Amino acid sequence: MPMKSFSTLPLSAELIQVVQELGYEKMTPIQAESIPVLLAGRDLIGQSKTGSGKTAAFTLPILQKISKQFSDQNLNLQRDTTLRALVLCPTRELCTQVVREIRKLGRKHIGLQVLMLSGGTPLGPQVYAIEKGVHIVVGTPGRVLDHLKKRTLNLASVNTLVLDEADRMLDMGFHDEMEAILREVPEERQTLFFSATFPKTIETMSKLYQKDAVRVTIEEEETAPAIDQFYCEVPARQGTTYDFTDKLKALLWLLGNYEPGSTIVFCNFKAVVVELTHALKRLGISADGLQGDLEQSDRDSVMAKFRNKSIRVMVATDVAARGIDVEDLDLVVNFELPQKTDVYTHRIGRTGRAGKKGLAVSVIIPKEKVKLTEIEQHTHVSIPSIELDNLDDTSVDDLKNELRFESKMSTLFVAGGRKNKMRPGDLLGALTGEAGGLKGSDIGKIEIHDFFSYVAVAKPFAHTALTRLQEGRIKGRRFRIEMAR
Ligand code: ADP
Ligand code: MG
């Protein structure tokens, strides 16, 4: 289907002009399919991936309706501030984004008042703003209902109601609030549902609260992103922010399923890094942790071991991971989602380099889904879920028994470096020469620092290599050599 320009739509000249000024050259598929339906006054259920322009798809018809009502009756937006539209979004953050888009698109509607009603802001100023008069309210179900209960907001004049990210609002437990609000808006209205998925509840709500809704579903086009992103969901247990054991099981499942060579697992807190590293090590998994409290020498050692494949799983906080420079990372796991989208992007950007396709998986509890939506929104990428085999009936030890997750390499620490004129060839020579007796293929990465060096050696030969180097000489002298901690 060739993408159409906005000028083919029966929109006001102002709106066509704004869209052009914003550089929206063509309609996105969800816009091309839903705007005509909405301009015709029909109800709609829309589904398309994140970042596909759903906000403009519902905003343009709302603005068109507002300007038409006003020009027909020779009214002026500054004088008549009747509330016309209500948009419900799951979070404050998503509300902010929608408000921003409405203001952008409505910038030629002089006097247009758009108000955000979400938690995290005192009620008083919101009440004052409502009293001054608004045309469009964008809010979270919780806060909007608070105002309805206090009778500080009246929806009697609303003729367009949008439930944006309806499935996520249900995930957040807003079902009752949504229904209560739907019942407060006059029957004579247009009702729009936007949702990424269509659980039964939405079908039911559509039947109850929409009239003969047109359904628009935009299939995702095939793209080949450099990084495959997924999430997997573990159940939330009562009273905890996340359940450590459930997330651990999911992580073990991922390691067993993908068998990545090198993995970084990101956590938001030092304490989680420590706990998770400990748990993985106890299970015999080749893992170590990086967090801010480590001594510099320990950090160096952990990073060197990770780079030379003596450690396969690195557990780290964002700050601590800054120093890791690993070219071929096979998997990035978010054990916890970061607060900010750019941190997420930075984390997953560590995989999918060096021409290889990367893989990033976020392990989340239902509550974190909202954050995931925000990330999808900001990055314009949709993140599908992967189904874990039923892990409820599987114990950590069951998973562990199926998992062989050791590293093939060990690391030797050599107390001599660049300042001692140490070069990789010197160490390689000492190990593979007559005195060393090892094969070149048993030696991995050799890393020379100023005052020390790290040598990776195939595990079965590590102890031989250690003794040979301790007994022999490098560049004619003895250096302290030990297994890296
Ligand atoms: P969704 O709600 O589907 O996740 P948004 O409505 O947030 O997506 O839109 C994502 C971005 O695309 C926004 O920055 C918006 O300004 C921009 N956008 C919307 N429509 C178009 C268009 N037709 N052409 C170019 N950019 C657009
Ligand atoms: Mg949206």
Side-chain angles (χ1 to χ4, degrees):
M1 182 183 65
M3 289 299 131
K4 285 194 234 150
S5 120
F6 284 93
S7 56
T8 60
L9 293 171
L11 287 172
S12 70
E14 288 84 15
L15 284 174
I16 300 283
Q17 203 184 336
V18 170
V19 162
Q20 269 163 5
E21 286 168 7
L22 291 176
Y24 296 3
E25 290 177 8
K26 297 274 161 12
M27 284 188 266
T28 65
I30 185 82
Q31 291 166 350
E33 299 226 4
S34 52
I35 296 175
V37 168
L38 294 174
L39 290 174
R42 301 279 303 268
D43 283 2
L44 178 106
I45 294 198
Q47 176 183 25
S48 70
K49 68 169 197 251
T50 299
S52 57
K54 291 188 285 290
T55 318
F58 63 75
T59 300
L60 288 169
I62 289 175
L63 291 173
Q64 175 69 17
K65 213 154 132 183
I66 289 178
S67 33
K68 189 170 177 308
Q69 263 150 358
F70 283 89
S71 60
D72 278 1
Q73 297 160 34
N74 227 349
L75 288 173
N76 159 333
L77 276 179
Q78 267 147 321
R79 263 186 280 133
D80 184 325
T81 48
T82 310
L83 179 61
R84 301 290 178 181
L86 171 65
V87 181
L88 295 179
C89 298
T91 64
R92 176 189 179 81
E93 168 72 12
L94 290 166
C95 286
T96 311
Q97 289 182 35
V98 168
V99 166
R100 201 177 296 142
E101 182 82 3
I102 297 178
R103 293 215 171 106
K104 272 200 313 196
L105 291 167
R107 67 186 182 196
K108 291 209 196 292
H109 285 62
I110 308 300
L112 179 74
Q113 294 297 328
V114 186
L115 178 66
M116 177 160 124
L117 295 180
S118 76
T121 308
L123 281 166
Q126 292 183 346
V127 173
Y128 178 69
I130 296 168
E131 280 167 2
K132 274 188 28 184
V134 290
H135 303 99
I136 303 175
V137 163
V138 179
T140 54
R143 182 53 67 99
V144 169
L145 192 62
D146 286 347
H147 281 287
L148 291 177
K149 283 185 180 154
K150 286 187 164 13
R151 305 205 175 278
T152 46
L153 178 70
N154 183 339
L155 302 179
S157 58
V158 168
N159 57 23
T160 310
L161 175 58
V162 182
L163 279 76
D164 195 15
E165 310 269 2
D167 53 347
R168 291 285 150 101
M169 289 198 278
L170 291 172
D171 285 342
M172 291 182 67
F174 277 138
H175 175 266
D176 293 352
E177 286 86 346
M178 288 154 78
E179 291 217 316
I181 295 164
L182 277 157
R183 285 192 295 262
E184 287 287 317
V185 182
E187 292 257 334
E188 205 48 43
R189 62 159 193 247
Q190 229 178 331
T191 313
L192 285 53
F193 285 12
F194 286 96
S195 195
T197 56
F198 286 108
K200 267 253 148 32
T201 323
I202 293 196
E203 301 279 357
T204 314
M205 287 177 81
S206 168
K207 284 205 189 81
L208 279 171
Y209 299 103
Q210 292 192 300
K211 290 187 205 86
D212 194 18
V214 175
R215 190 156 170 163
V216 171
T217 304
I218 307 295
E219 298 298 331
E220 288 193 22
E221 339 118 53
E222 283 300 313
T223 46
I227 302 168
D228 276 332
Q229 298 175 55
F230 298 102
Y231 76 91
C232 53
E233 195 177 321
V234 300
R237 307 289 179 190
Q238 204 134 34
T240 49
T241 347
Y242 67 83
D243 190 293
F244 183 81
T245 308
D246 283 315
K247 287 204 169 185
L248 175 61
K249 286 199 275 184
L251 175 59
L252 295 175
W253 186 91
L254 290 169
L255 295 178
N257 199 55
Y258 291 106
E259 302 190 323
S262 297
T263 300
I264 294 190
V265 181
F266 282 102
C267 307
N268 294 349
F269 302 101
K270 287 181 206 169
V272 181
V273 170
V274 173
E275 187 181 4
L276 182 57
T277 307
H278 184 76
L280 291 172
K281 281 183 172 171
R282 195 181 57 79
L283 294 168
I285 288 175
S286 165
D288 216 329
L290 258 193
Q291 37 83 19
D293 291 346
L294 290 180
E295 298 279 339
Q296 186 59 41
S297 59
D298 290 327
R299 296 169 55 90
D300 287 341
S301 165
V302 171
M303 284 198 260
K305 287 194 286 183
F306 188 55
R307 279 192 292 256
N308 73 23
K309 316 244 184 272
S310 299
I311 296 172
R312 290 178 65 182
V313 180
M314 172 78 96
V315 185
T317 55
D318 295 288
V319 175
R322 261 177 215 158
I324 313 172
D325 185 18
V326 184
E327 273 300 297
D328 47 357
L329 206 54
D330 302 292
L331 173 66
V332 168
V333 175
N334 290 309
F335 200 72
E336 298 164 301
L337 280 178
Q339 290 301 329
K340 293 204 179 116
T341 302
D342 53 351
V343 176
Y344 175 88
T345 310
H346 194 234
R347 283 182 180 182
I348 70 162
R350 293 177 168 278
T351 177
R353 291 189 196 166
K356 275 207 296 184
K357 186 155 181 157
L359 179 65
V361 182
S362 301
V363 181
I364 65 172
I365 54 168
K367 220 169 117 186
E368 287 180 282
K369 259 195 179 166
V370 185
K371 227 189 275 173
L372 195 77
T373 306
E374 290 172 5
I375 290 169
E376 290 182 310
Q377 190 84 20
H378 275 111
T379 56
H380 301 177
V381 171
S382 66
I383 305 173
S385 70
I386 27 177
E387 291 300 319
L388 302 180
D389 302 336
N390 187 7
L391 296 182
D392 266 355
D393 310 332
T394 317
S395 72
V396 166
D397 286 317
D398 292 341
L399 283 161
K400 188 248 142 141
N401 291 337
E402 286 169 25
L403 192 62
R404 286 274 150 271
F405 221 79
E406 292 149 11
S407 73
K408 296 194 176 66
M409 307 303 276
S410 280
T411 301
L412 305 188
F413 172 87
V414 180
R418 210 171 284 119
K419 302 279 189 212
N420 312 88
K421 305 249 180 319
M422 184 79 75
R423 282 170 313 184
D426 301 325
L427 288 165
L428 191 63
L431 286 164
T432 59
E434 240 166 72
L438 293 167
K439 284 187 291 191
S441 55
D442 295 329
I443 315 296
K445 192 175 162 95
I446 298 175
E447 229 180 81
I448 314 279
H449 294 247
D450 278 354
F451 299 103
F452 52 87
S453 306
Y454 294 106
V455 188
V457 181
K459 226 175 207 163
F461 307 109
H463 274 278
T464 317
L466 178 67
T467 351
R468 299 279 157 80
L469 284 184
Q470 282 172 335
E471 288 165 358
R473 279 159 194 272
I474 306 163
K475 297 179 82 72
R477 57 168 280 208
R478 285 233 153 116
F479 289 93
R480 181 167 60 88
I481 323 266
E482 51 194 50
M483 297 303 296
R485 273 176 295 163

